Structure formats: C-alpha cells, structure tokens
Amino acid sequence: MADYHQMWKDLGMNVEMHDQLCAVLPQAFGDVFLSQENRPEMMDYFDFVVSEIHGVRPAELVEFQKKGGKVFGTFCVYVPDEIVFAAGGIATGLCGGSQFWVPGGEKVLPVNTCPLIKASVGARLDRTCPFFRIADMFVGETTCDGKKKAWEILAEDVPVHVMDIPQMKRDKDIKSWADEIRIFKDVVEKFTGNKITAESLEENIKLFNTKRKALARLYAMRKNENIPISGTDTLLISQIAFYDDPVRFTEKVNILCDELDQRVADGVTVFPAGTKRILISGTPMAIPNWKLHHIIETCGAAVVCEETCTGTRYFEHLTDESASTVDDQIQALAERYMNINCACFTPNTARTDDIIRLAKEYHADGVIDINLKFCSLYDTEGYKVEKALKEAGIPVLGIETDYTDSDAQQLRTRISAFIEMLNA
Ligand code: BJ8
C-alpha cells in the first residue's frame, strides 16, 4: 500500500494503533484470497481496492470534501443511497467486520452485544478507521436494540441521523417508511445545501438499479453447474459494493461478468466436479469478515449464494423508474426497500420463502444458517428458518460465531461433517 500516514494523521486517527491493523490485513488477505487457484483475472481490480482499503477510496472522499462535498456513513441496506447521491453527497458503508475494533466497542457497550455493533463503535471511538473519521454524518436505523442504543453513544462524538424503520409490512408501514425517507431527504438537503430534484433522483434511482443489476448478473453466474468464481471472491465484491464509487464499481463488475460469461461458455470452473453447493443465510458479513466462506470452501464445498445483506438482500428488487415527481419517486423507493426481509420484521415469512427459493435457484445441496453471536433477531428467527428448510427437504446447519478465530477449528469440524453428510 502507498503511504497514507499524512492523510490518516490529518483525519485525527490513532495512527500507531491503526498500523497494527495494517500489519495483519495483507497476511489475512493473502491466506484467504491469493491462496485460491484459477481465480478470474478481473479479480485484480477488487484485490487492488482491498489492498488499498484505507487509502485510495478514503483519499477520494477527502478530495470530495475539500470541494465542499458531504459524506454520509451508513450501517444498513435499508438506508437509501439514492437520496444521498441525488443531493450531491456520497454514502459509504461503515459496518465493522474485524475483531480488531471489538475491544474498543466493549469499552462502552455490554460485552454481550453483537460483534458488528461493537466493531462499528470501536472503529469510531478508537479512531482506527479512516471511513469512520471521514463521514460527516452517520445514518443509523431502528432495526435492532443494540444498534438503537449504539447511535446514542456515537451521537456524542459525531452527527447522527436515525431512520425509524417499521417492524411490520402493512400498507401503513410502507407509508410510514416513505414518510421517513422524506424526513431523510430534508436532512440530507439541509446538510449538503443541495436540493433534490426529480431529475437528480431519477438519475440516481437508475444508477443504483444498474449497480444492482450488475450484482444480480454476477450472482447468476453461480447458478451454473460449472461455477466460474468462488463464493469467497464473490463475498469480497459484495463487501466492496458498500464503499466503492458506484459507477466505477458497476463497470468493473460487468467487466468481470464478461470474463465469467466466457468461463461458463468454456466450461471453466473453480471447483472440482461434484463439489457440494452451499447457500448461506443469516447475518451480514462486513469487510474483512471472510471467516465462514474461507472455512466452508477450504473444507471442500462451494458457497453458491448468500441470503444476507452482504448478498441477495442488497441487490434483489429494483426501484420503479417510471415516477416523475420526487414524492412518487420516494414512494417507489419505499416500496423497493420494504422488500428487504430483515429479521427485525414480524412476521418475516417472506425471508424463509426467499431462502427456499434461492436454494432451488442456485441448486444448493444444503444451507448454512449463520448467526453473529448475540444477534437475538436472527438467532430467534433461526428456528423458523430451520423448520421451513427441513419441511422443504433441504439439509440445514445452524452456526453461531463471532469475529475471533477461537472457534475456527470447531467450525471446521462441524462444517466438514455437514459436507460429508451431503456427500453420503
Ligand atoms: S437489513 S440485517 S443490514 S439491520 S447489528 S441485526 S447482526 S444484532 S446488521 Fe442488518 Fe439492516 Fe437488518 Fe440487513 Fe443482528 Fe448485529 Fe443487529 Fe445486525
């Protein structure tokens, strides 16, 4: 990585502590990604982005701010990027996916809080992530209790706007979510000093639809019998989607897909014939959380799809592009976003339906339902997920884990046994 120490200092980061993170990431990345064989050539771009993760994109954001631009940090796929970009701002994902940041979060949060929340709070308070320093405003949401309380703590340190997400999906809830997006629009307009017009919103609805279509195209490649890209590589791309420039990202994903199309035509695969296919469902995997994919794929199975917010929940469903007034566009956004099936909703049968549909579409031999430790939402919903899968005759393994490596060996044993059972 090039030397970004001056930028990090200017951002008020704890550079010494941050250096410790920079020292371990290349090794972790090499072990997980570069050890894979026969990777698509176009993964080069995504490897580069992650090798410069705290450099290139933060430097772009800093330049943008110098010209008066505002950066919004988000933590949930319910927060509509379209609104931020339509006001000339930039939205960037902030969910923490490393154990490195967890102890910082534990200084102010109960230990029995999910690692994603602890890492996100720790990254800000310890000043060890440039994205958490750059974001001018954090945008939280009322999805789970841990997050709701975390926003109050973060608000002592940085401007925070919280979006009130309904917990049911009746007509009145969709209406209330549309109202919430209208409030967000006003906040973003005031913060950026820019008015959102029907034209700017239309442009950005189309931009994010195009980005979602590129990700859907990438995922569709994995439905093939010969799988041209590993699940581990696809996860990396999904994670990068949260912070890369959306236009460049979409272009790079489509170029990669052109290569994958050719691989499919040539029968090129990254897995031996007969490899068992796994669908992952559950909690999101924020960068650099690559633990489960690495374990599953080095145990001899292929991850063919993720029913997570770092997977299909991020890109499935497009926003209707036909509305011509800001008000109607916001209604269209509300309807699109309310299709995301987060476990914070009740009832959430559409999620179990999705998992079964995806298992069929991606020809999965089994499902691994993953829960981040202390996430009671997805943990509790695991009962319904496992029941529905069993009724559908799809083998399922429930796993709870965190960001540490302490359970890696135990997970390897359980996952190997599951794959062996699928092979029997
Ligand atoms: S739409 S999944 S991105 S809230 S933070 S709920 S793991 S205890 S992240 Fe999420 Fe939006 Fe839902 Fe998706 Fe559990 Fe942890 Fe809460 Fe979490």
Side-chain angles (χ1 to χ4, degrees), residues 7-8 11 52-63 65 130-131 134 243:
M7 177 180 77
W8 295 332
L11 286 170
E52 295 272 331
I53 187 165
H54 282 182
V56 168
R57 185 62 175 154
E60 287 178 356
L61 297 178
V62 168
E63 275 311 301
Q65 286 175 317
F131 290 98
I134 290 169
Y243 64 92

